[in-house]
Each structure stands twice: as structure tokens, then as C-alpha cells.
Amino acid sequence: MSEMPNTDPEGVDAVRMTWNVWPRTKVEASKCVIPLAVSIAPIRSHPDIPTLPYAPLRCKTCSAVLNAFSRVDFTAKIWICPFCYQRNQFPHHYAMISETNLPCELYPQYTTVQYALQPNPDPHNPSGAPQLPPVFVFVLDTCMIEEELGFVKSAMKQAIGLLPEHALVGLVTFGTQAQVHELGFSDMSKVYVFRGSKEISKEQVLEQLGLGAAGRRPTAGYPKGLQNGYTNTGVNRFLLPASDCEYTLNLLLDELQTDQWPVQAGHRASRCTGVALSVAAGLLGACLPGTGARIIALVGGPCTEGPGTIVSKDLSEPVRSHKDLDKDAAPYFKKAVKFYDSFAKQLVSQGHVLDLFASALDQVGVAEMKVAVERTGGLVVLAESFGHSVFKDSFKRVFEDGQRSLGLCFNGMLEISCSKDIKIQGVIGPCTSLEKKGPNVADTVIGEGNTTAWKMCGLDSSTCLTVLFDLSSTERSSAPGAANPQLYLQFLTSYQDPEGKTMLRVTTVTRRWVDSAVSPEELVQGFDQETAAVVMARITSLKMEMEDGFDATRWLDRNLIRLCSKFGDYRKDDPSSFTLNPCFSLFPQFMFNLRRSQFVQVFNNSPDETAYFRMLLNRENITNAAVMIQPSLISYSFNSLPQPALLDVASIAADRILLLDSYFSIVIFHGMTIAQWRNMGYQNQPEHQAFAQLLRAPQADAQMIIHERFPVPRLVVCDQHGSQARFLLAKLNPSATYNNAPEIAAGSDVIFTDDVNLQVFFEHLQRLAVQS
């Protein structure tokens, strides 16, 4: 990979912007159509980021951190903050500073640095091992058939074996009622049972488990009973180090049966998902503050009992669909969302994460639980069965170490500082607004807004956030500092790494202001089409969720027409004269595919699937999100090397194999002739080694993608004219439909649809863009 130029568009800073030069005024910015937005992966690892063993210097006025863009007066030992122009004295330990002796954070190439913040050393723990081990509470659904429960048990045993030895583990199982297992009582299995039908507060949970205020008075300083970093507050009856309770847990899982409550014929099992999660969160509430913890929910069906119910027990009533939600005909939906909203607030205040692994043929309520997963930065995986590789391999990845580790971190907080005239509208992605007001907060809110600081209870090296900016409405020319041609943005992310160390990542970036009326070509050169497409997809998804009756297709079309009118070259009212600068030429195609994607066309998916797709769209990096919107297609044939193919039905040929990557699924599609040869077994004959290699190549490439990706995508292997071919056909541009079938080349294919194709879409776009 190293010799390929520019394989990493995000660079060391892991930052991408819709515009890489910024217009000066609010009016100019609104004429640009695509909003000013930054996508950042706050803790993505990179070999060129230095880790500094000391605390950062902060500006005394705006508390931005000393960085490579600060102006330094070496004789007076003063640095000037680029954000608020405050003059700051260097402290004594910087006395040796000079032009030739710079601290690391002032080197121009280190725009991103990491500080290791040392907590006070613990006299009882000289080894410096993590003082607060991470906690994993498994919340396991038992309302499923034996076979499914068997799959879950083996996945959990494997996970517990992979956990770090000092990590604490707890177990809650649920069906009609929720049971908390007292793992510390190993002589026999001892459970605390909670009724599944009524809401339960954190205080009631602690009281019932014997962890109430009377039962656990925290001592000042280091508690006497500090074993493995957790106190003798009684929590250690339920949360034990993985190394101590692995045997007990395995025995417990072996004995665990499916929910024994009788289910009436024609009815769903009684499942109290909401109560079980509340109990797990309450139990974690008894941990020491600042403990990183994850609730790992393994759910095999819809909640039908107590808070968070999404459907009645009567099987004749189906689970809500998009149509029901549009018509307000989903009686349980709003109440369940409200429950998970308050549940999310409890988890955020405790700093804990909800991870959701949902595996069932019907919906389980991901749409309702989305708010709790997204606001706590949890992982989400949706599969058809606990025996499916999508669940099994993804679940294993969460606990793996080494190269394939996800690098799960805890208790993150992101703060943003920016130059004077820049306002922050909000963030789209896995975080929660901390409602920290400041002069840089915009009046309009998009996503998690009204703040300059966000909590990220859980984050990992691939977590990505989209920050939307606005400019203040005052004219720049009158403002002091208007002469400064550069704008600055600084992202501060503090978090606990998997070892329990507290880190602070500081990324400072600069871009140029430009007067777009004077030099529009600079603006055009700074446009990032891929980022712009992904940001538009994220805003569209958000609007579809928040605004009633929002027409996504019309909104996208109107914005695309405005963009082409502003930046296209054409003579008025002459569509044939229309051309687009190469910096914009891919964007209309992205919009065409976004309009047809599962993010906008939801009729074919359940609300659970839509919620799942949107959560991943909002948390992945730009490259991955672009593949979700516009899949990549690679063609394999005898007479050429594997090469990218157009995402078009014309790419199908009888003697080709196609590999489609649409992020959530990967499709290997064999043309007719290839499939016939394979069925005849040619690949097993020694003289047809080339054919055997051709069949293996896309499989190997697919495995490489699957190996790297989380959640693990679904692999579909199909043949032309087979039933599974729909996974490919649904994503292709329908340039050949049943209307123009006679003109099609032999061995190619047609798509049965009345959707417009890309060419017709372009023609309409040109006509509308050039209208005076």
C-alpha cells in the first residue's frame, strides 16, 4: 500500500471537509449550497502522531491548547493563541525554549499530537496497572429456540475467554422476568429476579440488589478494600474479574435454559428487554464514577412486556412498518422511544455504553433503541440469526486483541475551538451534546447542538463525527482581525484507552478564507465531492427522522440543481452547452445513487433496518460511508486483470464475474457462461487452471474486505438469472430495462423497473440548471 500515492485522503489529522477553502460571509456560504462541514475521526491511530508524556498548555482566555499555529516570542517567552489572540506566558518548565529547541507540539508537521495525562499515582498499586478495570455486563435474551440459544452461549463463552483477565464481568438474563446472577456466590447459582412488567428506577435496582445507600458508604481517598481496582461496595458480588469467574460463568451458561414461562398459541413470548437493560444500568450505577463500562445486549426478538414494549403479544398484530410510523399507526413507538431517551440520559450521566446485537428474522426494536445506542457511542450489529457469520464474526471482533482489535475506548469528550466568526451548528454521529454554551455556538441546531463540548461514552479508532459550521452574520470587513487570511479549528478529545490510561488528542487544522466573489475558482478547487455527498446523506437521514412529511428526493434534487446552476459552465437556456468542472463532476452521480439508496427509499426495509443503516452511515469514515451510498463494482474476466466497472447493468456479461461491495453486503455474481462451466466442474480439471484461478480471485478479494470490516458484511454468492441476483441488480443503474430490451447486447441483462436511469437524470439536471 505504501507506494501508492494518496491512499489515505484523511491524512494524519483524520479530517475531511466539504470545502477546503472557506467563503468569508454567511451570504456567500449559503450560495455554496453544500454546508461547511468537517468529518473527523477523533482518535484514529496513525504512526506519525507523537505521544507526549506531559500535560498541554492552555490559553488562559479561551482554553485552546498550544499548537503548531501559535505565534511564539522566544525572547519574551510568550505565545499568542491563534483563536482569541490572547498573549500567554510560558511556564517555568518551558524556560529552555528557543528557535532551535522547540517542544514537540510546536513542530509544524505535528498538527495532531497526543498527551498522556497521568492520574495521581496510587500508593496501593505501584505497578501502575489500570486502577479502574473496564466492566462488561452481558444482557442475554432467553426467549428463543434451543438452537439459537446454543449459538449465543458458544459466542459468549468465546468472548469471556478473550476478555482481558482484569476486566469485570456481569450477567443479566431476561425473558418474562429479568434475572441478575450473583457470580460471586459460586457454591450454587443465586439469582435476583425483577418483575418484567413495570418500570424500575436505578435506586430500586440498587436497593433490591442490596447495594442501596445504606449498604455502601464510599470511604474518602483510596478505599481499604481496593482489590483489582474496585471497592468492596458489594458490587463485586455481581461483577467479577474475567479470570475469577470464567469457570462459574461457563457452568451457568451450560445450565441456562430458554425462558420457561408458557406461551399461549398465537402469541409472542413475553420479553422484558427494557427492564433488563434498566437493571443492568442500575447495577453499573453502583460502580466507582469514571469506570468505563459496556452493556452488551443480545436480543432475539421484540420487547412485549414492560417499558420499551414495541408490539403486543398477539401474533395477529404485526410489528410496526414505515407506513405505520408515517400514519401514526404505531401505538407503542413514541412511548418506547421516550423510555430509551431517558435510559440514554442515565447511561450518559454514568458514562456507560449500550452495545446492541440483534439477531432475529422479525424486528426486535432497533428503531426505538437507536437513541440509546447512538448517544452512548455503542456498537450495533443486526443479523438474521445468532448462528449467522454476520453476528458470530462481528461479536468475536469486539473482544479480539492485537491487529484486529477495534480499540474500544471509554469516557470520551470532544471539545471544539474555532476562529472568531465561525459558529458550530451541531454534530451528527455517536455522541451527546453537553449543552456547554459559548460565543461559537450557532443559533440554528443540526443534530447534537447548542454546545462546544460533546460526551462520547464509547468510541474507537474508526468512530467518525460530522461537525456542521455556520458563519456569523456580521460583515467581516468591519471585524478586527479581518486581515487574517487563515481560519483555525481545534478538536480536543479526551478519553480512556483500553488499558485505562487517560489520553488527550489535540488536532489543529487551518484553512484559507477566500472572497468567493473575487476568486471563485479557488473555492471550486477546494471542493471535496465525496465528503459533500456523505454530509448530504447524513443531513437527509436526520431530516427524514426529525421532520414530518419531509420529501428527501425533492430536497436533494433542489440542492443539486442550485449547485449546478452556481458552479456549472453554460449559456443560459442552452442545456447542450452545460459542463461541470472535474471538481464537481462526480457529485451528481453520488446524488443519483443516494436518491435510490436504502437511506432515502425506505419502502423496501423495516424501520429496524433503516435505523441500523443510518447509525452506521453516521459513525463510519467518509470512504466507507461513500461505499454505502454508491457501491463499488469490480469485474473479473479471462482477458484482463480485475478492474473497476461502471455501476451499470451494462457491466453484466456472460463471461464475467462481478464483485459488488455495498458495505453491508458483498455480492459475487457469476455470468451465465461462467456459472455453467462451474456447474460442469471445469475448475477441477488440470487443463483449466486459469478458470479455477478466475473463480478464486473474487472470493479472495471478498475475504479481504470481510476481514477488515466491522460489522462483518453479509456475503452473497449468486449466478446471473438466479434469485439472489437481485442483491446486485437493485444497485445497478437501469440503463437497460424491459422498455429497450431489443437493443441489449447478448449475455447482458435487463432490469425490470420504471426508475429513471442516470442518463435521463443528467439530461433533466442540465435542463433545469441552465434555466434563467
Side-chain angles (χ1 to χ4, degrees):
M1 282 298 277
S2 55
E3 63 275 359
M4 280 174 66
N6 195 13
T7 47
D8 181 7
E10 288 164 21
V12 184
D13 297 330
V15 163
R16 285 182 74 174
M17 303 194 186
T18 46
W19 300 94
N20 285 302
V21 287
W22 286 31
R24 282 257 180 202
T25 64
K26 194 181 172 89
V27 176
E28 289 295 337
S30 69
K31 283 184 192 163
C32 288
V33 187
I34 308 292
L36 296 168
V38 173
S39 160
I40 178 167
I43 62 165
R44 196 183 70 145
S45 54
H46 194 287
D48 297 343
I49 295 175
T51 300
L52 311 178
Y54 48 85
L57 289 191
R58 286 182 168 241
C59 167
K60 60 186 180 196
T61 314
C62 70
S63 64
V65 168
L66 174 69
N67 59 75
F69 303 109
S70 308
R71 300 230 310 278
V72 178
D73 179 340
F74 292 105
T75 44
K77 302 282 184 279
I78 280 173
W79 63 278
I80 298 170
C81 169
F83 296 97
C84 65
Y85 306 116
Q86 170 68 44
R87 301 165 75 81
N88 297 279
Q89 285 287 179
F90 278 108
H92 292 305
H93 56 276
Y94 276 77
M96 300 298 289
I97 189 171
S98 70
E99 267 106 339
T100 52
N101 184 16
L102 287 174
C104 191
E105 65 265 38
L106 285 175
Y107 276 86
Q109 70 269 38
Y110 293 137
T111 47
T112 295
V113 290
Q114 192 151 273
Y115 296 91
L117 306 177
Q118 297 302 328
N120 302 329
D122 170 5
H124 303 281
N125 187 6
S127 66
Q131 294 161 7
L132 294 174
V135 185
F136 296 88
V137 175
F138 293 92
V139 179
L140 174 57
D141 183 354
T142 57
C143 291
M144 40 179 130
I145 55 172
E146 281 295 342
E147 187 188 21
E148 285 287 301
L149 193 63
F151 290 138
V152 179
K153 286 180 184 179
S154 70
M156 271 191 61
K157 286 178 181 174
Q158 188 182 31
I160 293 157
L162 288 169
L163 281 173
E165 291 196 346
H166 64 276
L168 305 185
V169 183
L171 177 65
V172 177
T173 55
F174 69 98
T176 307
Q177 298 164 331
Q179 293 95 11
V180 181
H181 298 262
E182 189 173 317
L183 302 176
F185 195 79
S186 51
D187 311 342
M188 54 188 258
S189 63
K190 182 172 170 188
V191 258
Y192 288 72
V193 180
F194 291 81
R195 214 163 84 207
S197 52
K198 70 186 234 279
E199 208 159 321
I200 183 162
S201 70
K202 176 175 164 181
E203 287 66 37
Q204 288 167 312
V205 173
L206 295 175
E207 208 57 55
Q208 232 173 305
L209 295 175
L211 304 173
R216 44 173 203 114
R217 289 221 170 76
T219 46
Y222 282 98
K224 287 193 184 67
L226 191 80
Q227 312 157 311
N228 306 21
Y230 58 100
T231 51
N232 268 333
T233 53
V235 175
N236 53 359
R237 295 180 2 240
F238 303 100
L239 303 176
L240 271 77
S243 51
D244 297 2
C245 69
E246 187 170 356
Y247 177 71
T248 319
L249 260 171
N250 280 337
L251 275 182
L252 229 169
L253 288 170
D254 287 335
E255 290 170 8
L256 190 67
Q257 294 176 310
T258 55
D259 193 46
Q260 295 301 297
W261 288 79
V263 178
Q264 273 177 289
H267 281 68
R268 292 184 174 88
S270 171
R271 190 186 272 106
C272 64
T273 319
V275 166
L277 292 173
S278 298
V279 169
L283 172 62
L284 287 175
C287 292
L288 288 172
T291 305
R294 306 186 86 92
I295 296 175
I296 296 171
L298 298 141
V299 185
C303 176
T304 56
E305 179 79 66
T309 296
I310 68 159
V311 67
S312 73
K313 292 192 186 69
D314 189 349
L315 271 171
S316 64
E317 183 191 318
V319 185
R320 78 251 163 317
S321 66
H322 276 296
K323 212 170 228 162
D324 297 333
L325 294 177
D326 289 343
K327 288 192 192 150
D328 235 354
Y332 300 95
F333 184 73
K334 285 190 171 131
K335 198 172 169 197
V337 171
K338 193 174 163 195
F339 165 73
Y340 283 113
D341 192 75
S342 65
F343 177 67
K345 290 195 174 89
Q346 179 191 341
L347 281 184
V348 169
S349 68
Q350 294 176 187
H352 300 154
V353 187
L354 172 64
D355 294 327
L356 176 60
F357 291 86
S359 295
L361 286 169
D362 198 5
Q363 304 182 68
V364 304
V366 179
E368 286 81 357
M369 294 157 93
K370 173 177 189 273
V371 47
V373 176
E374 200 152 46
R375 291 214 190 128
T376 60
L379 304 170
V380 57
V381 175
L382 187 61
E384 287 172 7
S385 144
F386 285 112
H388 200 292
S389 64
V390 170
F391 164 74
K392 286 198 304 200
D393 298 348
S394 301
F395 193 67
K396 188 174 165 218
R397 264 306 283 282
V398 175
F399 305 98
E400 274 186 345
D401 230 10
Q403 278 280 268
R404 303 203 55 212
S405 156
L406 294 177
L408 299 176
C409 298
F410 297 96
N411 273 316
M413 186 167 106
L414 170 72
E415 294 176 82
I416 301 179
S417 304
C418 39
S419 294
K420 186 172 162 294
D421 286 298
I422 301 172
K423 306 281 185 211
I424 303 165
Q425 291 181 320
V427 170
I428 299 178
C431 64
T432 300
S433 163
L434 284 173
E435 303 287 334
K436 184 181 169 196
K437 302 284 191 288
N440 287 106
V441 175
D443 305 334
T444 47
V445 174
I446 300 177
E448 292 289 311
N450 271 330
T451 183
T452 56
W454 293 261
K455 176 92 180 157
M456 306 167 76
C457 303
L459 68 167
D460 57 70
S461 49
S462 68
T463 303
C464 197
L465 298 174
T466 308
V467 191
L468 292 133
F469 293 98
D470 196 5
L471 301 179
S472 60
S473 41
T474 52
E475 281 303 310
R476 289 278 316 204
S477 50
S478 59
N484 190 358
Q486 298 292 101
L487 64 102
Y488 299 96
L489 303 170
Q490 189 174 67
F491 303 89
L492 305 177
T493 313
S494 58
Y495 62 98
Q496 281 173 18
D497 71 1
E499 276 75 60
K501 295 200 288 285
T502 305
M503 309 296 274
L504 175 72
R505 170 80 72 94
V506 181
T507 296
T508 316
V509 294
T510 182
R511 293 290 187 270
R512 232 175 41 258
W513 291 113
V514 20
D515 192 337
S516 53
V518 178
S519 51
E521 55 286 342
E522 279 185 77
L523 196 63
V524 168
Q525 293 303 322
F527 184 64
D528 181 337
Q529 318 186 53
E530 213 176 18
T531 306
V534 172
V535 167
M536 291 303 270
R538 288 173 179 166
I539 294 173
T540 306
S541 289
L542 184 74
K543 282 178 174 288
M544 287 176 80
E545 270 176 15
M546 310 309 277
E547 297 177 19
D548 281 341
F550 175 71
D551 186 341
T553 309
R554 270 194 71 177
W555 186 78
L556 287 169
D557 287 351
R558 285 221 303 272
N559 281 306
L560 179 59
I561 293 163
R562 279 179 56 208
L563 186 79
C564 292
S565 290
K566 171 142 175 78
F567 294 104
D569 295 314
Y570 54 87
R571 292 190 300 278
K572 277 221 161 72
D573 295 324
D574 179 4
S576 62
S577 67
F578 182 86
T579 57
L580 258 183
N581 184 299
C583 297
F584 289 91
S585 55
L586 297 174
F587 188 74
Q589 191 179 328
F590 271 120
M591 290 300 103
F592 172 76
N593 285 299
L594 174 58
R595 290 166 86 235
R596 304 181 69 218
S597 72
Q598 68 269 40
F599 302 111
V600 174
Q601 302 299 336
V602 297
F603 68 87
N604 210 7
N605 293 314
S606 66
D608 271 17
E609 288 171 309
T610 300
Y612 174 61
F613 295 145
R614 286 177 178 162
M615 278 193 271
L616 288 174
L617 172 74
N618 288 347
R619 60 161 292 149
E620 282 301 322
N621 66 28
I622 297 293
T623 314
N624 283 347
V627 173
M628 298 178 198
I629 299 165
Q630 183 170 297
S632 71
L633 191 65
I634 298 172
S635 149
Y636 300 80
S637 64
F638 280 118
N639 44 17
S640 68
L641 288 167
Q643 59 190 39
L646 284 175
L647 195 63
D648 191 303
V649 66
S651 295
I652 294 177
D655 59 350
R656 263 190 203 168
I657 304 177
L658 294 175
L659 174 67
L660 176 90
D661 176 8
S662 66
Y663 197 82
F664 304 102
S665 53
I666 290 172
V667 183
I668 299 176
F669 175 96
H670 301 96
M672 262 183 318
T673 314
I674 301 265
Q676 282 164 353
W677 290 347
R678 184 205 57 214
N679 295 343
M680 289 170 175
Y682 284 179
Q683 68 278 17
N684 305 325
Q685 298 170 4
E687 67 269 27
H688 291 303
Q689 278 308 296
F691 180 56
Q693 272 173 338
L694 182 67
L695 285 178
R696 279 198 301 270
Q699 290 281 358
D701 289 350
Q703 286 309 321
M704 263 173 62
I705 298 172
I706 289 169
H707 187 75
E708 290 297 310
R709 188 165 294 169
F710 181 90
V712 171
R714 167 185 186 165
L715 179 65
V716 179
V717 181
C718 61
D719 297 339
Q720 191 173 357
H721 308 310
S723 69
Q724 301 257 307
R726 64 182 191 278
F727 283 99
L728 173 71
L729 296 177
K731 296 288 182 191
L732 299 180
N733 169 36
S735 62
T737 66
Y738 64 95
N739 294 320
N740 54 358
E743 307 151 24
I744 306 307
S748 187
D749 223 324
V750 296
I751 295 180
F752 292 97
T753 180
D754 286 322
D755 281 357
V756 283
N757 63 42
L758 185 60
Q759 195 185 348
V760 174
F761 178 76
F762 270 163
E763 286 164 6
H764 281 262
L765 174 62
Q766 288 171 342
R767 206 181 68 239
L768 292 163
V770 301
Q771 275 179 2
S772 47

